[in-house]
Amino acid sequence: MDVALENIQVKNMLNKAEENFISTLSRQGQKQIGQFTTPQNIANYMSDRLLENNFCQKQSTFKILDPGAGTGVLGISLVQKIFSINSDAIVQIVSYENDNNALKVLRHNYKLIFKWAKNNNLKFTYTIKPQNYILDGYNLFDYGINNHENEYDLIISNPPYKKLRRDSEEATAMPFIVHGAPNLYGLFWAKSIIELKPKSNSIFIIPRSWMSGSYFTKLRQFIFSQGNISEIHSFEARKNKFGNAKVLQELVIVVFKKRSAINQIRYFTHNSISLLNKTNYIMVDKANVVVGKEQRIYLVNSKKDIEILKWANRFSSTVEKSGLKMKTGLTVCFRNKSLLEDEGSSENVPIIFSDNISKHSVHLNRKKDQFLKKKRNGLLQNNQDYIFVKRFSSKEEKRRIQTAYYNSSRFSKYDQISTDNKLNFVIAENDNLLKGAYLFLSSTKFDEYYRLLGSNTQVNSTEINTMKCPSKQQLIELGQEYDAQHLESMEQNMIDKLISNI
């Protein structure tokens, strides 16, 4: 029997209900509830990937969880896919949704699918829980994560993407994964992992930020303590049309398998979120892309990316272990406006901004707010040589890592300086080490390496400090060949040539 959803009337009714719901929500409305409706093509693709990883042909009973159901697009797609493979399957789905408008559509849609299943003699039941998923039964955390009775064979979700206060009810309920500012999608993912049966799979579509950000350290550590990631899907087009709204975040689709010893991750890259198909994938050893005690994850899209990782992994040290330290600029200017001045004097010091950097050198060329009063010692630092790195770049810029060598001898009339909070600076144990590090950090290779880790346009100092790097001695030997003035004027192709020879 062909049990695919070919009943045109049912299809049209589902689509109409979805369209009616979407039409009631503005982009701001979706942001307020933290959720964007899932397009049908994404739901179908996620269902395919989840079932392909699950080998559902060998299974006859499925208990499914959709913890952020919305109007039910994901859950319905998965149910339909299961029955199209095995019409004798017994399928039960549990869906959470606490937005009243979405609930009305969800109930309507599940009634249609239940009627369709009954008409085709299919064994399908559903439960809709109109509660906050994180807070519903969260006392399961009190009894120990590993002692909780695992419930679900399959989990599929497009969870809410919403920042929370650290003292919110949801974050307080799950302190074991909260580090810094929590995001609701991370809590959804972690709780669902607890409720997933061993050897079973889940699939989520979520922002890429969890892969490297410091705030997600505990989440990553928890994920890998419970199982492994088998697939990561990314999209080349950043501004993707997602349902009825543009989602500007980089999204990834992630397949997770609980209690499994997976040593390789399959990376899929798609042209855009609207063009999903079974493209070729790259298989990468987990040890090469999941790094450090914080379990940061590199996003690999091509064989070139693998070669960059191999290049980086040849280095035996890290930036921090080689005697270097990247820090964030000291002065948050909008909080210290009263201390900013346009003209230099004996009562102030120059403050270096990102726009003072041009072609690897520093110029005090601002017409306004170029100087900072010496009223707060915590905002001042010694006038010595530094590597400056812009914290922010636009997505259109070719380079993420944009550096300048600060030659303090050009500004010798100042004993101290300050740095804007939108700028990073690097210090070293000695000048030759700093000069060698400048060449390494300024290279195109290092920029490409960082892009595999960086999930946005911000250069994170904590991430840089843990990245692979030549040894201290190698950097010293490289740096002692050049003086500061030479570094300020060195062309990019010369920098790249020097680093390729290390």
Side-chain angles (χ1 to χ4, degrees):
M1 177 178 59
D2 184 358
V3 296
L5 282 175
E6 294 176 351
N7 186 312
I8 300 300
Q9 185 178 6
V10 172
K11 269 189 176 181
N12 289 342
M13 291 174 74
L14 287 171
N15 291 337
K16 187 67 175 176
E18 180 75 8
E19 289 170 7
N20 289 341
F21 171 68
I22 289 174
S23 68
T24 67
L25 282 179
S26 63
R27 175 175 171 79
Q28 188 60 34
Q30 294 195 58
K31 288 180 71 175
Q32 285 178 353
I33 64 175
Q35 201 157 15
F36 294 89
T37 56
T38 311
Q40 190 62 56
N41 68 311
I42 295 174
N44 293 339
Y45 185 76
M46 289 174 66
S47 298
D48 283 338
R49 297 314 309 158
L50 182 58
L51 294 180
E52 184 163 319
N53 278 270
N54 204 65
F55 305 108
C56 75
Q57 295 91 336
K58 301 177 182 179
Q59 194 168 338
S60 59
T61 302
F62 298 87
K63 187 175 182 182
I64 301 166
L65 171 67
D66 183 353
T71 60
V73 175
L74 280 171
I76 289 170
S77 174
L78 182 56
V79 168
Q80 179 262 321
K81 294 286 183 182
I82 291 173
F83 282 130
S84 69
I85 294 170
N86 181 1
S87 60
D88 294 323
I90 301 171
V91 180
Q92 175 189 2
I93 188 167
V94 177
S95 295
Y96 283 81
E97 182 51 59
N98 61 352
D99 176 77
N100 288 331
N101 290 326
L103 261 174
K104 293 175 185 177
V105 184
L106 180 65
R107 288 177 174 136
H108 169 81
N109 288 346
Y110 274 3
K111 285 178 181 177
L112 286 177
I113 298 306
F114 181 79
K115 183 178 180 180
W116 164 80
K118 186 176 180 180
N119 289 341
N120 287 279
N121 296 316
L122 303 173
K123 301 179 183 70
F124 170 65
T125 58
Y126 68 90
T127 302
I128 295 174
K129 295 193 174 187
Q131 290 107 340
N132 182 315
Y133 171 63
I134 301 301
L135 299 182
D136 181 51
Y138 78 83
N139 60 344
L140 67 91
F141 307 131
D142 298 334
Y143 299 104
I145 292 166
N146 296 327
N147 295 328
H148 179 64
E149 181 182 358
N150 305 289
E151 292 189 41
Y152 297 102
D153 301 290
L154 296 169
I155 298 175
I156 189 166
S157 184
N158 171 22
Y161 315 153
K162 189 176 184 180
K163 290 181 180 179
L164 300 171
R165 298 192 322 272
R166 194 167 182 174
D167 62 351
S168 66
E169 286 186 277
E170 292 88 351
T172 303
M174 302 182 69
F176 59 93
I177 66 154
V178 174
H179 177 79
N183 194 301
L184 197 52
Y185 79 77
L187 305 185
F188 267 66
W189 195 10
K191 186 182 179 187
S192 76
I193 286 173
I194 296 170
E195 298 183 315
L196 187 64
K197 289 181 180 178
K199 307 301 180 184
S200 295
N201 293 274
S202 69
I203 189 165
F204 273 61
I205 181 165
I206 48 180
R208 180 189 167 187
S209 51
W210 67 275
M211 297 176 70
S212 61
S214 296
Y215 289 164
F216 294 95
T217 297
K218 283 189 175 182
L219 174 63
R220 290 190 299 271
Q221 291 171 338
F222 175 75
I223 288 168
F224 288 111
S225 74
Q226 298 297 304
N228 275 295
I229 289 166
S230 60
E231 292 185 2
I232 298 177
H233 300 249
S234 61
F235 310 94
E236 291 180 353
R238 293 174 185 268
K239 293 184 179 180
N240 284 297
K241 186 74 174 177
F242 194 82
N244 69 321
K246 284 184 179 179
V247 177
L248 301 183
Q249 299 185 71
E250 283 190 75
L251 299 177
V252 290
I253 294 173
V254 189
V255 180
F256 169 85
K257 191 175 184 72
K258 189 168 181 177
R259 299 276 184 264
S260 62
I262 296 173
N263 297 318
Q264 292 184 313
I265 299 175
R266 284 188 284 185
Y267 283 88
F268 294 74
T269 304
H270 307 278
N271 292 331
S272 77
I273 216 159
S274 60
L275 297 172
L276 292 165
N277 50 54
K278 293 183 180 179
T279 56
N280 293 332
Y281 60 83
I282 298 172
M283 187 77 83
V284 186
D285 288 344
K286 175 188 170 185
N288 289 332
V289 290
V290 181
V291 297
K293 65 179 181 180
E294 293 191 345
Q295 303 283 272
R296 291 190 173 93
I297 304 170
Y298 291 106
L299 187 60
V300 178
N301 293 323
S302 65
K303 291 181 179 179
K304 179 186 176 183
D305 292 344
I306 295 175
E307 291 305 312
I308 292 169
L309 282 180
K310 287 180 179 178
W311 168 81
N313 287 329
R314 293 190 189 108
F315 298 122
S316 59
S317 187
T318 65
V319 169
E320 200 160 36
K321 288 179 181 177
S322 290
L324 304 157
K325 184 85 171 179
M326 180 177 281
K327 298 182 177 182
T328 301
L330 304 181
T331 302
V332 180
C333 288
F334 76 88
R335 293 176 182 164
N336 295 278
K337 284 184 177 180
S338 62
L339 301 181
L340 298 175
E341 296 184 327
D342 299 340
E343 302 292 334
S345 72
S346 60
E347 300 300 317
N348 61 33
V349 302
I351 176 170
I352 313 301
F353 294 83
S354 289
D355 57 16
N356 289 128
I357 292 175
S358 176
K359 296 182 179 179
H360 295 303
S361 62
V362 177
H363 307 274
L364 300 181
N365 52 5
R366 287 185 127 227
K367 294 181 179 180
K368 292 191 66 177
D369 301 337
Q370 186 66 82
F371 297 88
L372 183 79
K373 292 179 184 177
K374 300 179 183 179
K375 288 193 173 182
R376 293 183 58 190
N377 288 334
L379 303 182
L380 307 178
Q381 58 199 92
N382 292 336
N383 185 25
Q384 64 188 48
D385 285 13
Y386 295 101
I387 303 167
F388 288 140
V389 182
K390 292 183 180 182
R391 279 186 67 197
F392 299 96
S393 60
S394 69
K395 293 184 184 295
E396 291 74 28
E397 290 182 276
K398 290 183 178 180
R399 297 186 68 87
R400 186 72 46 84
I401 306 291
Q402 300 182 41
T403 63
Y405 192 88
Y406 178 74
N407 180 4
S408 58
S409 65
R410 289 205 294 112
F411 308 96
S412 57
K413 67 179 181 178
Y414 304 107
D415 293 327
Q416 294 176 305
I417 64 169
S418 186
T419 42
D420 177 52
N421 189 248
K422 294 177 182 175
L423 192 70
N424 290 321
F425 64 93
V426 179
I427 57 175
E429 295 174 2
N430 60 66
D431 285 348
N432 285 333
L433 177 59
L434 186 75
K435 289 185 288 184
Y438 165 76
L439 291 169
F440 180 70
L441 296 176
S442 301
S443 68
T444 300
K445 279 275 192 181
F446 185 81
D447 183 71
E448 292 171 338
Y449 173 36
Y450 184 73
R451 282 174 179 272
L452 301 183
L453 185 65
S455 59
N456 52 46
T457 56
Q458 180 174 338
V459 176
N460 186 296
S461 58
T462 304
E463 292 173 353
I464 294 284
N465 287 328
T466 61
M467 294 181 73
K468 287 283 193 172
C469 178
S471 69
K472 181 189 296 186
Q473 189 57 39
Q474 283 178 304
L475 292 175
I476 289 173
E477 290 175 1
L478 180 64
Q480 67 189 9
E481 299 294 324
Y482 306 95
D483 59 32
Q485 188 174 2
H486 194 177
L487 294 182
E488 286 183 290
S489 60
M490 188 177 288
E491 296 290 334
Q492 187 64 51
N493 61 350
M494 181 62 179
I495 294 173
D496 291 340
K497 184 177 180 180
L498 291 172
I499 297 307
S500 68
N501 291 332
I502 294 181

